[in-house]
Amino acid sequence: MKQDSAEPHQLHRVLGPWMATAIVIGTVIGSGVFKKAQPISQGIPQVGLALCAWVLVGFLTLMGALALAEVAIVHPKAGGNYVFLRESYGRMFGFLWGWVELWFIRAASVAALAWIFAESCSDVIDALFRVSPEPVVGILGKYAITIGVIVLLGALNARGTLLGGRIQVIITAVKVFSLVGIAVIPLILFLIGYQGEGAPKLDRLYPLFPESFSWAQLSGFGAAMVGILWAYDGWMNIAPIAGEVTNPSRNLPRAAVAGVLTLIALYVTVNLAYYLTIPVMDIVNLPKDRMTAGEYAMRIFGSVGLMLASICLMISVLGALNGNQLVGPRLLFAMGQDELVPGILCRIHPRYNTPANAGVTLSVISIVIVLAGSYIKPNGKALFDVITDFSMFGAISFGCLAVGSIFVVRKRFPVATHPLPYRCPGYPLPPVLYIVFMIGVIANMFVTQQNEAVAGVILIAVGGLIYFAIFRNKPVAVQRPA
């Protein structure tokens, strides 16, 4: 291949350690920490056990990050898990990950987050300008905001990876400070002796644990972990942009570990603040249109608190959206290089040096899911929770395969003969712990979330049929530099 024809397919390393860490934190912290306390409390009504679940999932995420960082150093290319699975298990597994990731993990996440942003934006507008019982922003207005924010962030990230990275650092800093504020407010109120409705009370934390454990309780614990996994989902997002991170052998593992440790600290302290302020059964019985963070802020600050919580949620979701639309197109870029999607998707914009065509495609698919979602009427479960639980089946399944690819890396690149700047500490314990626990969560989904699990299996099977029908006998494309 001529050198000049390869230029349109190369990305530049422009993301430093702070931007890489901000992408990990910013794409993970979205709506989960603001909304998931209710479904988690429904499955785990004991505060101590619920907090242990947040710590456990965080610990498992850290174990996965320690393992995946080594794989990313060996394959520091755009595409992330797609590249890891392709190189470790073959092209079919890479295709299946791309199929599930594009349609029902990445695009569904963008759609769900954009809708939550629109709802929060509408709440803020109503709080500021509402003068009648009718909301200022109607349903059509919410759809317009949802589609508008997807288009806006897609366009900004198409104009430059460095621009998207800088936006991510700014938004991530704001959302981290807002979550720190939520976490420390009960401590401040306790120190000043505040006695109002939102005054923190230690007795709200009891009972910490159930008196005895049953299979139903363990199953409920596993179901609640799916919601917590959504809150942590995105920790692998450093991998798809590995080809654009400076000094990847040093910055990739540092960003992954620092990001996950920050997430654990924020999630545990914020949820502790919720439980100190709101009795757990009040959280369980919250109306479906009331997020836990909103109830928390309203009990402390009154009606203005709900608006403040909505603003915090808007900022947080905006950061997650930006991170997803920065990272997501790299999958299509890598698949385009392998001719598993139209080659136009791996073309780089001649001026901005971004996979702009892939970004437009992701935005369009996300908008289609938003519009299709208006026809979904789930019974007894919020649409947001249906979408997130559904997307988590594929994310957990292929996440296990991605983390497990470290075993293939160790076989191909033994420690004794292939010195690397980073190796997973404690190997093989971290990847084994991660995979074993995640397999248990997947198995439990077939008991507690059968519709989502079965739909996930059908989706993967359809992807397999498409691969065998179209790509099985297709020659492997010549790999272009990533």
Side-chain angles (χ1 to χ4, degrees), residues 30-180:
S31 57
V33 69
F34 294 89
K35 296 177 68 70
K36 284 295 186 180
Q38 183 188 28
I40 290 165
S41 296
Q42 289 172 341
I44 313 175
Q46 295 82 24
V47 173
L49 195 59
L51 293 176
C52 284
W54 282 96
V55 174
L56 175 60
V57 176
F59 171 76
L60 294 174
T61 300
L62 179 61
M63 295 297 99
L66 291 173
L68 201 67
E70 180 176 329
V71 182
I73 287 176
V74 174
H75 305 295
K77 303 175 182 179
N81 286 357
Y82 166 76
V83 174
F84 304 160
L85 296 179
R86 182 196 68 197
E87 296 298 319
S88 297
Y89 310 115
R91 191 168 61 156
M92 183 186 75
F93 284 90
F95 174 83
L96 288 177
W97 163 254
W99 168 261
V100 174
E101 153 86 354
L102 176 61
W103 288 99
F104 289 96
I105 300 178
R106 185 73 63 188
S109 295
V110 170
L113 290 168
W115 181 254
I116 295 299
F117 176 87
E119 288 187 327
S120 300
C121 185
S122 301
D123 290 340
V124 173
I125 293 173
D126 283 346
L128 293 174
F129 304 108
R130 191 170 184 173
V131 294
S132 68
E134 294 297 321
V136 177
V137 181
I139 186 66
L140 292 179
K142 289 182 180 180
Y143 277 104
I145 294 172
T146 302
I147 295 172
V149 73
I150 292 175
V151 172
L152 175 62
L153 291 179
L156 287 174
N157 282 287
R159 283 186 61 87
T161 301
L162 190 58
L163 174 61
R166 286 171 176 167
I167 293 172
Q168 194 65 27
V169 170
I170 294 171
I171 298 177
T172 298
V174 173
K175 75 165 69 178
V176 167
F177 282 123
S178 67
L179 290 178
V180 170

Side-chain angles (χ1 to χ4, degrees), residues 210-260:
E211 295 182 359
S212 60
F213 287 94
S214 64
W215 170 251
Q217 288 172 318
L218 291 175
S219 184
F221 184 88
M225 284 184 67
V226 175
I228 299 175
L229 283 165
W230 161 261
Y232 279 100
D233 186 45
W235 64 271
M236 293 184 180
N237 279 334
I238 189 63
I241 58 162
E244 296 159 271
V245 174
T246 61
N247 196 356
S249 62
R250 182 185 66 181
N251 291 332
L252 286 174
R254 286 185 177 182
V257 173
V260 172

Side-chain angles (χ1 to χ4, degrees), residues 5 8 17 19 22 31 40 88 94 99-100 132 160-161 305 308 337 349 361 372 381 430 469 471:
S5 65
M19 290 183 184
S31 57
I40 290 165
S88 297
W99 168 261
V100 174
S132 68
T161 301
L308 291 174
Q337 290 184 317
H349 194 282
T361 302
K381 193 172 184 179
F471 301 109

Side-chain angles (χ1 to χ4, degrees), residues 77 130 137 203 266 272 305 371:
K77 303 175 182 179
R130 191 170 184 173
V137 181
D203 58 2
L266 288 173
L272 178 61
L371 297 176

Side-chain angles (χ1 to χ4, degrees), residues 388-461:
T388 55
D389 287 353
F390 175 65
S391 67
M392 285 313 301
F393 181 85
I396 297 170
S397 301
F398 284 93
C400 284
L401 288 174
V403 171
S405 64
I406 190 176
F407 299 115
V408 181
V409 166
R410 285 293 178 110
K411 183 177 180 179
R412 293 178 180 173
F413 304 93
V415 175
T417 57
H418 292 78
L420 294 175
Y422 170 84
R423 289 286 189 174
C424 174
Y427 176 89
L429 189 59
V432 168
L433 285 175
Y434 181 89
I435 293 171
V436 168
F437 272 90
M438 292 303 107
I439 289 176
V441 172
I442 293 172
N444 189 65
M445 286 190 72
F446 284 96
V447 177
T448 60
Q449 291 140 308
Q450 292 179 351
N451 293 337
E452 290 86 343
V454 171
V457 171
I458 292 174
L459 171 67
I460 295 171

